[in-house]
Amino acid sequence: MMDRRGAAHHRSRFLFFPQIILMPQTSSRSAWTSRLGFILASAGSAVGLGAIWKFPYMAGTNGGSIFMLPTIAFSLTIGLALLIAEMSMGRAARGGAGTAYLKLGGRAWSVIGFISVATGALVLAFYSVVGGWCTHYFIESIMGRGITDDPAAMRSAFEAFAADPVQSVMGHVIFLTTTAGVVLCGVERGIERVGKILMPLLFILMLILIVRGLMLPGAIEGVKFLFMPDPEAFTGEALLNAMGFAFFSLSVGSGSMMNYGRLSDKVNVGTPTAWIVVLAVMSSILGGLMIMPAVFAFGLTPDAGPGLTFATMPAVFSHLPMGGLFAVAFYGCLFVAALTSAISILEMVSQHCVDRWGFTRRTAVLTVSTVLGIIGVFCALSFGPLSDWKLFGRTLFDLLDYATSNIGMPIGCVGIGLVAAWVA
């Protein structure tokens, strides 16, 4: 038998050098069939709404470059290190956050695992509302509606839709139901196949839209807003929000990537993880370049909030040949990108229920989806009937967004750092 020191050394090698360890396959869990599928599926948690929906409006409300530059720095340094550690913990423990903290850190650390899983669940509760927005705009684009170059009409159309309790709740329910259906079909059949095709297509569409947006009169002001630092705009809150977004965009600290790590038997962790971070950073920069120049070109305000992307893109499509076709392709890819992120979270939370409480997979997915669906309804109503109901000065949607990005994920990141260092 190994002594305590020998066991710790064995665990250290097992955790931080997963590329040289042959791990046994288990038929009860899915696994990625290629490194490319692993990278694209994992990056899908960030490339979608994190870059295209959240980054532009967060940059717009936090000083542009004062927010963007620290976000890039946090992602390429602390974010990368924590993401490697999180995926390695999941691979070493052969489980999600709840299992990994318990196995690698002991019972005292299991509370961090619970916080991580709860954080991921709450992210999905409000995230699915935005997924519902994507669903709505995708359907509208198919029907040939929603393209206009009138800034006032764009803004009012989004606000009217988001405030409509029937349409916003319906979009949320459709999106979450679709997510549950894909998870029930299996990880490799759902996430990996979709990611390999539509993630690259989304990047191509973003590049086309960026080029067209930069050709609009006044667009250069949006570029300056993103890339020219303004020291007078710096605030401690902007720095905190940049850190929170870096964690959000990488899905680090919420348990999702730990759950992906447990499925990574056929791929190394180190190099693919670096690619995931690079893709996440690139997609955020591209998302900013796609939205912000158009915002300035059409006279919109960058601090418009969560609806900034949806109130801006219709004008860009109106200035493109075959704009309706581009709109369908863009919103379709955005819907799928949002779906890959939602799938990773629902998979993680459901697997936690299976591991800890013995749920069947089907029961876990249906139970979690139902509970989060109910919470999500109230988040959707935060833009309409419940817009005046606030806690700590924030609507339920904004409160969950802030609490998960700026509190829950940082707690999870601290736990990853401490447990990974202790095991090492």
Side-chain angles (χ1 to χ4, degrees), residues 94-226:
R94 297 290 291 153
T99 301
Y101 278 105
L102 183 62
K103 285 186 177 181
L104 301 177
R107 187 173 298 276
W109 290 95
S110 61
V111 64
I112 303 296
F114 176 79
I115 291 174
S116 295
V117 174
T119 296
L122 292 177
V123 167
L124 183 55
F126 74 85
Y127 189 94
S128 63
V129 175
V130 186
W133 298 348
C134 297
T135 305
H136 171 79
Y137 274 82
F138 180 44
I139 295 174
E140 287 289 291
S141 66
I142 291 176
M143 298 178 68
R145 297 198 296 260
I147 299 179
T148 176
D149 59 357
D150 183 350
M154 291 186 298
R155 178 68 59 82
S156 61
F158 172 78
E159 292 176 350
F161 157 68
D164 186 320
V166 175
Q167 292 192 77
S168 58
V169 170
M170 184 180 297
H172 153 67
V173 171
I174 292 174
F175 180 80
L176 193 57
T177 301
T178 304
T179 302
V182 175
V183 172
L184 286 173
C185 287
V187 176
E188 71 275 16
R189 283 185 294 171
I191 309 173
E192 188 171 1
R193 290 181 182 178
V194 169
K196 281 184 176 180
I197 298 172
L198 292 183
M199 286 300 100
L201 178 59
L202 180 59
F203 269 115
I204 294 172
L205 287 173
M206 289 174 69
L207 289 172
I208 294 173
L209 295 172
I210 287 170
V211 172
R212 183 63 187 96
L214 291 175
M215 296 171 64
L216 296 171
I220 192 62
E221 295 301 320
V223 178
K224 292 179 180 179
F225 180 74
L226 287 175

Side-chain angles (χ1 to χ4, degrees), residues 38 54 108 115 121 133 145 166 169 172 194 228 274 315 352 385 389 395 414 416:
F38 174 68
K54 191 170 185 178
I115 291 174
W133 298 348
R145 297 198 296 260
V166 175
V169 170
H172 153 67
V194 169
M228 291 185 63
H352 178 77
W389 187 89
T395 64
V414 171
I416 291 170

